[in-house]
Amino acid sequence: MFSSVTHSNEKTDGWQDVQNEFYSDADQHSHLTFNRNSLYSKDLSDHLVEAARISPNDEVLEIGAGAGRFSIHLAKVCKHLVALDTSSALLDALKSQQSEKNNIDVLCASVFDLLDHFKKISLDVVCGFFILHHLPHHDKLFGLIKTVLKPGGRISFVEPNRMNPLFLAQAIFDPEMTWDAEKGMFKFSASKTVKILNELGFVNLKRERFGFFPPQVLDKFPSSMKIQNMIEKIILFRRILPFILITADKPS
């Protein structure tokens, strides 16, 4: 079902060392594994799929795929998915899971080594969930992504909204998180990201906030999705909705 892991010879610096150490043990990050009954994961995946206009003919790269929490959802709607992560432990956990389609390859590498693994203009979509705030050098990052995207290719990323107070509480009290690994979410700026994308020549830039309930609520009480859909429409709550979805296109 899954390809063998390909390891990168990247030279890590401080930021990557923190991430590599933090995600070295998949058992400590059980929330990153795929759960077919998770309404929370499916809702986030559906938002990204719709925004990125992912189709059954698309070649898709998911950056920071981890243990596949969202990967298998994405694989169901595209032709081929490459799940990229720097943690071989998390990718091994992904490989151990069941997928309804035989269309996922895993790649253990740094996103900054994209050109070592992908030809230019070879991908239809590059996407990720909660990964941008872990990465430095966004101008370089999106420049590389633009290089491997086909003309008309799309990018789509879901990030935590730092204005939502629950993320601070999660970063402090969740035993599966550490401040050093997660503090980037409080520095991440959607407006700066959009500015970088605009300067690099991306078009059709869009931002939207969505969501409300954490997985502990949505997955236990599916009927809460109806309440969430209503809350998303209330202007008063939009500033603190927990997720920011950023999408853009490479010009055709």
Side-chain angles (χ1 to χ4, degrees):
M1 176 176 64
F2 297 99
S3 74
S4 299
V5 175
T6 302
H7 292 275
S8 170
N9 293 321
E10 61 168 314
K11 294 181 179 179
T12 61
D13 53 21
W15 65 269
Q16 188 63 73
D17 291 340
V18 170
Q19 300 303 321
N20 287 347
E21 180 178 357
F22 183 57
Y23 292 109
S24 61
D25 186 351
D27 291 337
Q28 294 182 6
H29 303 282
S30 59
H31 69 287
L32 298 179
T33 58
F34 173 73
N35 178 356
R36 67 179 63 256
N37 297 316
S38 173
L39 185 59
Y40 169 87
S41 298
K42 188 176 187 307
D43 182 53
L44 266 68
S45 301
D46 288 347
H47 271 83
L48 186 145
V49 167
E50 180 178 1
R53 309 186 302 281
I54 297 179
S55 75
N57 294 320
D58 282 340
E59 297 281 342
V60 178
L61 169 66
E62 181 192 5
I63 297 172
R69 186 180 196 179
F70 306 103
S71 308
I72 296 177
H73 287 299
L74 297 179
K76 292 178 182 179
V77 296
C78 70
K79 179 180 179 181
H80 177 228
L81 176 75
V82 177
L84 181 149
D85 204 281
T86 59
S87 170
S88 59
L90 292 181
L91 291 176
D92 284 344
L94 169 56
K95 290 168 64 178
S96 70
Q97 298 177 80
Q98 296 295 320
S99 175
E100 295 176 4
K101 295 180 67 177
N102 186 27
N103 65 338
I104 301 177
D105 287 334
V106 296
L107 174 62
C108 188
S110 167
V111 66
F112 294 103
D113 294 331
L114 275 184
L115 295 182
D116 293 337
H117 302 283
F118 296 93
K119 296 179 180 179
K120 295 180 179 179
I121 59 172
S122 59
L123 297 168
D124 297 290
V125 177
V126 177
C127 62
F129 298 85
F130 310 126
I131 183 61
L132 293 181
H133 69 273
H134 288 300
L135 299 172
H137 316 310
H138 285 182
D139 51 349
K140 179 181 179 181
L141 168 69
F142 288 117
L144 288 170
I145 289 174
K146 185 179 180 183
T147 299
V148 298
L149 277 175
K150 297 175 183 177
R154 291 88 66 200
I155 65 169
S156 190
F157 290 91
V158 174
E159 285 294 308
N161 178 9
R162 61 185 178 182
M163 301 302 296
N164 187 290
L166 292 180
F167 284 118
L168 178 59
Q170 185 181 31
I172 295 174
F173 298 110
D174 191 330
E176 294 191 1
M177 293 186 174
T178 68
W179 179 255
D180 283 343
E182 299 295 344
K183 62 185 178 181
M185 74 172 72
F186 304 104
K187 299 179 180 180
F188 176 80
S189 170
S191 59
K192 289 182 180 178
T193 301
V194 169
K195 181 180 179 181
I196 291 172
L197 293 172
N198 185 59
E199 291 173 347
L200 287 171
F202 283 89
V203 297
N204 300 327
L205 281 73
K206 297 179 182 178
R207 284 181 292 173
E208 68 169 291
R209 294 186 179 93
F210 70 97
F212 188 77
F213 292 119
Q216 294 85 348
V217 175
L218 276 182
D219 292 347
K220 189 172 183 179
F221 305 103
S223 60
S224 62
M225 179 61 74
K226 294 181 180 179
I227 300 174
Q228 176 170 293
N229 291 339
M230 291 188 289
I231 292 175
E232 289 174 338
K233 298 175 182 178
I234 300 175
I235 296 177
L236 180 65
F237 288 107
R238 287 181 184 171
R239 183 171 175 80
I240 63 168
L241 294 179
F243 309 121
I244 300 175
L245 178 59
I246 301 172
T247 58
D249 298 351
K250 179 177 177 177
S252 299

